[in-house]
């Protein structure tokens, strides 16, 4: 059954001149049929550079939106339109307008995990891979409103020794792990280094041996001499880690770190969207044009 689906996807991909972009948190079998698997920044770059006519984006809604913003001449499809991001939903244009009024001299740095409307109101975007560098590129005396992830923002503050105006949003998947759970996992695997994503709580980050975006976690695990590693991010990444590092063993910092939205991507749905050419992710032109500016600024600086 799965083999038939994969064969159908393969012929539809060729027929539609489609590229399938897959986030590191998507289910393993979806990662395996992707033309490219990566983090938000890598996938944004691929979306901007592809010469395919169709992009099938196996991630969550804001990622497909970013692809549509960067490739207005392509058809961007999502296997499941319901795959949203709770953290992105924690920032609304009305609230950001209030922040802008309250801090009129502040610049707005927005994590790509946000809606197109929020990006359109921002000065520059960032990802978890480049947030420290992007914020660090602003003069020391400039106030920065950091939207929407307070944990990533707190990590940037700590790395740069600089206070930011933090939006109170968070990723439920990463926020879910508590210090006691991480310590318990450490006790079960003594000696294994811990690497976590900066969307985790500050006390988790303080406890870890290393911190990084998904691409940085992948690199760390490739390069470390340790044969057992504890990984504190969405558990979908374990598939790729195990595939790329056959001699090493990976443990989730907590087995409950899963993102139900990422898991809405399935092989069947990838096949169906390529058959139906729907749902198409599109934006009104004005929002897309305004949102493109902070994303392109980020890509130029990264
Ligand atoms: S893992 Fe967190 S930030 Fe990523 S899509 Fe899921 S809820 Fe959003």
């Amino acid at each position: 059954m799965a083999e038939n689906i994969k064969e159908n996807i393969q012929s539809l991909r060729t027929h539609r001149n489609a590229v399938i972009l897959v986030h590191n948190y998507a289910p393993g079998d979806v990662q395996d049929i992707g033309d490219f698997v990566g983090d938000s920044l890598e996938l944004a770059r691929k979306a901007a550079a592809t010469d395919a006519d169709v992009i099938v984006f196996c991630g969550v809604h804001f990622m497909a939106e970013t692809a549509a913003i960067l490739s207005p001449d392509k058809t961007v499809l999502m296997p499941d339109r319901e795959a949203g991001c709770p953290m992105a939903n924690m920032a609304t244009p009305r609230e950001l307008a209030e922040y802008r009024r309250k801090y009129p001299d502040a610049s707005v740095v927005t994590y790509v995990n946000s809606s197109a409307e929020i990006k359109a109101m921002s000065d520059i975007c960032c990802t978890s891979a480049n947030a420290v560098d992007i914020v660090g590129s602003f003069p020391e005396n400039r106030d920065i409103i950091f939207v929407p992830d307070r944990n990533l923002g707190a990590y940037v503050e700590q790395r740069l020794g600089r206070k930011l105006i933090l939006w109170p949003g968070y990723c439920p998947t990463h926020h879910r792990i508590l210090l006691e759970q991480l310590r318990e996992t450490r006790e079960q695997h003594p000696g294994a280094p811990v690497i976590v994503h900066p969307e985790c709580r500050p006390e988790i980050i303080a406890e870890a041996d290393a911190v990084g975006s998904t691409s940085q976690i992948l690199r760390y695990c490739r390069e470390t001499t340790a044969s057992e590693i504890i990984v504190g991010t969405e558990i979908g990444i374990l598939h790729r880690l195990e595939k790329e590092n056959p001699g090493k063993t990976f443990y989730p910092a907590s087995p409950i770190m899963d993102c139900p939205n990422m898991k809405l991507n399935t092989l069947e749905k990838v096949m169906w969207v390529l058959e139906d050419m729907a749902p198409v992710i599109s934006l009104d032109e004005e929002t897309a044009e305004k949102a493109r500016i902070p994303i392109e600024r980020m890509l130029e600086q990264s």
Side-chain angles (χ1 to χ4, degrees), residues 45-96:
R45 286 192 183 289
K46 288 284 169 193
T50 184
D51 54 10
D53 296 319
V54 175
I55 299 171
V56 179
F57 210 112
C58 304
V60 292
H61 195 264
F62 74 80
M63 296 177 183
E65 254 187 1
T66 305
I69 290 165
L70 292 174
S71 304
D73 52 334
K74 316 277 181 213
T75 303
V76 178
L77 303 170
M78 268 187 89
D80 192 321
R81 189 193 279 282
E82 299 305 313
C85 168
M87 173 157 68
N89 296 339
M90 290 177 192
T92 66
R94 184 183 57 76
E95 291 167 312
L96 183 51

Side-chain angles (χ1 to χ4, degrees), residues 177 181-182 185 194-196 230-233 235 251-255 257:
I177 179 165
Q181 292 167 318
L182 179 58
T185 310
V194 174
I195 181 161
V196 302
I230 297 168
V231 181
T233 191
I235 52 177
Y251 304 106
S254 163
M257 289 180 80

Side-chain angles (χ1 to χ4, degrees), residues 148-291:
D149 185 5
R150 71 179 193 228
N151 289 340
L152 177 61
Y155 173 66
V156 173
E157 281 185 328
Q158 177 239 316
R159 286 284 307 274
L160 294 176
R162 169 175 185 172
K163 284 304 284 176
L164 306 176
I165 301 161
L166 298 181
W167 195 270
Y170 59 91
C171 161
T173 299
H174 287 85
H175 204 65
R176 200 174 292 148
I177 179 165
L178 303 175
L179 197 50
E180 304 78 64
Q181 292 167 318
L182 179 58
R183 288 186 172 156
E184 210 172 284
T185 310
R186 254 202 205 279
E187 274 172 30
Q188 287 161 3
H189 309 289
V194 174
I195 181 161
V196 302
H197 194 279
E199 286 176 16
C200 292
R201 293 167 188 261
E203 60 269 31
I204 297 288
I205 288 175
E207 175 84 5
D209 300 295
V211 183
S213 66
T214 55
S215 56
Q216 290 161 344
I217 290 174
L218 286 157
R219 189 167 59 241
Y220 175 91
C221 292
R222 218 171 20 244
E223 291 174 359
T224 180
T225 52
S227 58
E228 296 190 322
I229 302 125
I230 297 168
V231 181
T233 191
E234 209 281 339
I235 52 177
I237 202 169
L238 295 177
H239 176 78
R240 187 165 165 195
L241 283 169
E242 283 160 2
K243 207 167 147 183
E244 291 181 0
N245 302 280
K248 297 181 180 174
T249 308
F250 299 95
Y251 304 106
S254 163
I256 58 169
M257 289 180 80
D258 69 323
C259 174
N261 291 286
M262 286 287 182
K263 304 307 177 248
L264 290 174
N265 293 286
T266 65
L267 284 180
E268 285 89 343
K269 291 178 195 169
V270 173
M271 180 177 74
W272 294 333
V273 287
L274 281 166
E275 278 172 0
D276 299 345
M277 291 296 284
V280 174
I281 303 305
S282 60
L283 289 109
D284 73 80
E285 241 173 69
E286 197 189 334
T287 307
E289 255 172 50
K290 285 186 184 159

